[in-house]
């Protein structure tokens, strides 16, 4: 770890452990992440200082990743990863490397995410969805009439709403985690390092606090 990473490896705001939560409704809501991700993210543990904000974000997450949606849950995590790449959020890129592989994306496909435009592991429909994620998450927004028309050739209006919902939700997470320098948990740190380390992923300011 370089000097800059060491200096920045102290969280700007301490995540409050889940077992210290005293709001029974929020405790139940946080269980959603245990089922879908395997742990409660430090971002939510920071947000819980204002339970209504944490609860609202969890509800959005549940809606965006509803199991009865029309878009594959693994692809939605890849969309989230590409959107987080546009924003530069290493924390969310690590998290989505875990959640994508928990929802049917192979390690090989996850490791090839930055070559999705040419990799045979990705279908034309997936490529255009990931292009849309990159454009929609960019600042300024890069979606054009032409690129939207290309998206609509492969995806219905309902499916496009689901895809854009992922991008918008990760706009919240990207800004939260980069602003707070949220420390990465052990699992996503190890997973991203193994699958994406040779693709340029680095923990940076999201190194666990020491």
């Amino acid at each position: 770890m370089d000097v800059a990473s060491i200096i920045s490896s102290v969280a700007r705001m301490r995540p409050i452990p889940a077992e210290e939560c005293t709001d029974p409704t929020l405790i139940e809501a946080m269980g959603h992440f245990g089922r879908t991700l395997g742990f409660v993210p430090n971002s939510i543990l920071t947000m819980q200082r204002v339970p209504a904000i944490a609860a609202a974000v969890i509800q959005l997450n549940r809606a965006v990743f509803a199991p009865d949606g029309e878009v594959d849950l693994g692809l939605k995590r890849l969309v989230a990863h590409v959107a987080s790449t546009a924003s530069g959020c290493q924390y969310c890129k690590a998290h989505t490397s875990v959640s994508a592989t928990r929802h049917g994306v192979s390690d090989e496909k996850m490791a090839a995410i930055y070559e999705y435009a040419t990799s045979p592991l990705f279908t034309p429909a997936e490529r255009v969805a990931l292009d849309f994620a990159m454009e929609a998450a960019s600042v300024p927004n890069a979606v054009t009439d032409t690129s939207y028309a290309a998206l609509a050739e492969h995806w219905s209006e309902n499916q496009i709403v689901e895809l854009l919902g992922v991008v918008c939700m990760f706009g919240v997470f990207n800004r939260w985690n980069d602003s707070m320098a949220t420390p990465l948990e052990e699992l996503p740190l190890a997973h991203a390092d193994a699958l994406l380390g040779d693709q340029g992923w680095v923990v940076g300011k999201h190194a666990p606090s020491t």
Side-chain angles (χ1 to χ4, degrees), residues 88-142:
C89 181
Q90 303 291 66
Y91 180 93
C92 290
K93 287 164 68 176
H95 269 232
T96 51
S97 75
V98 172
S99 59
T101 53
R102 282 177 63 90
H103 288 84
V105 175
S106 68
D107 286 356
E108 181 186 15
K109 189 169 184 175
M110 187 69 243
I113 186 62
Y114 305 123
E115 288 80 48
Y116 73 81
T118 56
S119 171
L121 297 174
F122 296 85
T123 67
E126 289 173 331
R127 290 175 185 149
V128 76
L130 296 174
D131 282 342
F132 178 68
M134 181 66 74
E135 294 167 352
S138 296
V139 179
N141 189 286

Side-chain angles (χ1 to χ4, degrees), residues 69-79 109 116 122-133 147-164 166:
E70 296 182 20
V71 179
D72 176 75
L73 289 172
L75 175 60
K76 284 186 175 181
R77 269 61 179 202
L78 294 179
V79 165
K109 189 169 184 175
Y116 73 81
F122 296 85
T123 67
E126 289 173 331
R127 290 175 185 149
V128 76
L130 296 174
D131 282 342
F132 178 68
S147 63
Y148 185 87
L151 180 72
E153 290 181 5
H154 294 273
W155 301 96
S156 71
E157 290 186 343
N158 285 2
Q159 291 168 333
I160 291 171
V161 168
E162 290 189 26
L163 292 169
L164 187 54
V166 175

Side-chain angles (χ1 to χ4, degrees), residues 22-23 27 35 45 63 70 76 80 82 89 99 111 113 140 144 149 160 164 168 174 191 200:
T22 59
D23 184 319
I27 291 172
R35 295 186 293 273
L45 298 180
E70 296 182 20
K76 284 186 175 181
V82 171
C89 181
S99 59
I113 186 62
T144 65
I160 291 171
L164 187 54
C168 292
N174 296 158
H191 206 71

Side-chain angles (χ1 to χ4, degrees), residues 22-34:
T22 59
D23 184 319
T25 301
L26 185 56
I27 291 172
E28 190 282 328
M30 288 194 292
H32 162 72
F33 287 103

